Amino acid sequence: MKLLNIDYIPGKEIDALGVVKGAVVLTKNFGKDFMAGMKTLVGGELTAYTEMLTEARAIATKRMVDEATALGADAIINIRYGSASMMSGAAEVIAYGTAVKIL
């Protein structure tokens, strides 16, 4: 599956099949959340949260690709990601784009 964040596929004609999306809400365990809170006192990267968001983006992307595959798509164009904090230590990540068939 070709994934692009532009609204066309260079040199190809395409047929739009529709919007596809994937979403996930992930949280870290209490221990990692507590340690991240301690890290805010001294500064630096909160690696537990970086890892959580990286994992969340991968899951959301896979779910989006699965939805596009079910439609018979060859590619997803104009891909975007969004995120929101759901509660302390938990985040929602959504991936969305337009599923297309290459003609």
Side-chain angles (χ1 to χ4, degrees):
M1 177 79 54
K2 187 177 285 268
L3 305 176
L4 301 166
N5 71 345
I6 55 178
D7 59 0
Y8 62 96
I9 299 176
K12 304 287 185 185
E13 286 189 45
I14 56 174
D15 181 32
L17 302 176
V19 173
V20 289
K21 77 272 178 225
V24 65
V25 176
L26 283 186
T27 185
K28 280 294 175 191
N29 67 40
F30 175 76
K32 289 189 176 187
D33 196 38
F34 177 78
M35 294 307 293
M38 294 293 102
K39 183 75 168 187
T40 63
L41 298 175
V42 295
E45 180 181 3
L46 302 175
T47 55
Y49 287 104
T50 301
E51 291 167 4
M52 178 183 71
L53 289 172
T54 298
E55 180 183 359
R57 277 190 296 275
I59 293 168
T61 300
K62 182 185 179 326
R63 290 178 179 173
M64 176 183 64
V65 168
D66 289 347
E67 191 173 310
T69 300
L71 291 175
D74 299 313
I76 305 171
I77 60 171
N78 208 21
I79 294 175
R80 300 291 184 258
Y81 291 91
S83 64
S85 176
M86 301 302 288
M87 56 187 267
S88 178
E92 174 196 34
V93 173
I94 184 167
Y96 59 97
T98 302
V100 298
K101 187 83 173 160
I102 298 173
L103 303 176

